[in-house]
Amino acid sequence: MHCLLTHFQLTTCLLRPWREGDEEPLSRHASNRNIWNWVRDFFPYPYSIRDASSWVRSNRTSQLPNNLAIEVDGEAVGNVGFTVRDDIYRFNAEVGYWLSEKYWGRGIISEVLPVLVDYIFKNSQVNRIYACVLEGNEGSMRVLERAHFRHEAIHRKAAVKNNHFLDEHIYAILREEYRARKNQLS
């Protein structure tokens, strides 16, 4: 990445770096079993102020933040981010997101995800952006399809959540698909 992620004012929200003062709303919005059911187990539940402080601190100090707060009505109510992989997967970035249940169904992630995809492709050498979705998370699958991600695979019973084995759905978009779409629109 060679450019700093700053602020993106969108119709539904503001995307911005995490900052001091986000701890309380982060803890309040993230501490939700209905969110936790769809994310990886390293995402704490319940989500304490200590967890929130640690998250904000680790993301505030980053020179090139790869996690952005989703702000609605002046509060951090979610996160969108990416991780660039390493070794033979070093041209792959995994994206992930969560949003306060209070704001589900408002098109926020559908607006946010293309902005993140655009940012990653414009500011890195990543060739493939992908997301992993647990079976049953239809909303997230629709968001990815709307953002022109292709359903690539189902890893059968590859994940365990709440002591149940679940299929993991893999969605991805390639740089060439992104470029072709941008050219179509211009």
Side-chain angles (χ1 to χ4, degrees):
M1 300 276 161
H2 36 273
C3 116
L4 281 174
L5 210 56
T6 55
H7 295 68
F8 298 95
Q9 183 60 62
L10 308 177
T11 308
T12 58
C13 66
L14 171 68
L15 277 184
R16 61 161 174 80
W18 287 94
R19 61 182 181 225
E20 201 172 316
D22 287 334
E23 296 83 358
E24 189 280 325
L26 170 58
S27 171
R28 186 166 26 88
H29 290 287
S31 195
N32 181 318
R33 184 78 185 209
N34 293 327
I35 293 169
W36 184 82
N37 284 334
W38 300 117
V39 297
R40 295 194 177 147
D41 286 347
F42 73 76
F43 187 97
Y45 178 78
Y47 205 106
S48 70
I49 286 287
R50 176 180 278 170
D51 296 323
S53 296
S54 174
W55 175 260
V56 170
R57 190 171 45 255
S58 69
N59 282 285
R60 230 172 25 115
T61 57
S62 178
Q63 287 294 93
L64 297 167
N66 60 343
N67 284 294
L68 291 174
I70 299 170
E71 180 182 301
V72 178
D73 301 326
E75 276 193 349
V77 299
N79 182 78
V80 62
F82 65 96
T83 304
V84 177
R85 295 297 172 200
D86 60 8
D87 201 341
I88 63 171
Y89 304 108
R90 65 189 170 274
F91 292 101
N92 287 261
E94 182 179 5
V95 294
Y97 43 83
W98 68 267
L99 183 66
S100 173
E101 187 175 9
K102 177 180 176 182
Y103 298 97
W104 290 1
R106 295 188 188 185
I108 294 172
I109 299 298
S110 290
E111 186 181 29
V112 161
L113 188 58
V115 171
L116 185 68
V117 166
D118 189 60
Y119 176 79
I120 295 168
F121 281 137
K122 281 183 176 169
N123 296 291
S124 77
Q125 294 184 348
V126 164
N127 186 56
R128 178 176 173 268
I129 300 172
Y130 71 97
C132 305
V133 182
L134 296 178
E135 87 178 65
N137 192 347
E138 303 299 327
S140 196
M141 292 178 192
R142 280 193 304 276
V143 162
L144 290 158
E145 288 163 1
R146 267 189 232 116
H148 307 286
F149 280 63
R150 189 179 294 184
H151 188 252
E152 287 187 339
I154 299 173
H155 295 166
R156 296 177 311 130
K157 306 302 177 202
V160 64
K161 190 71 182 187
N162 292 316
N163 297 315
H164 294 286
F165 287 105
L166 298 173
D167 291 348
E168 178 185 53
H169 293 252
I170 308 300
Y171 286 80
I173 186 168
L174 301 177
R175 180 179 290 275
E176 65 195 46
E177 295 166 337
Y178 164 82
R179 273 199 194 121
R181 177 128 186 88
K182 283 288 178 202
N183 289 340
Q184 269 182 339
L185 299 173
S186 45

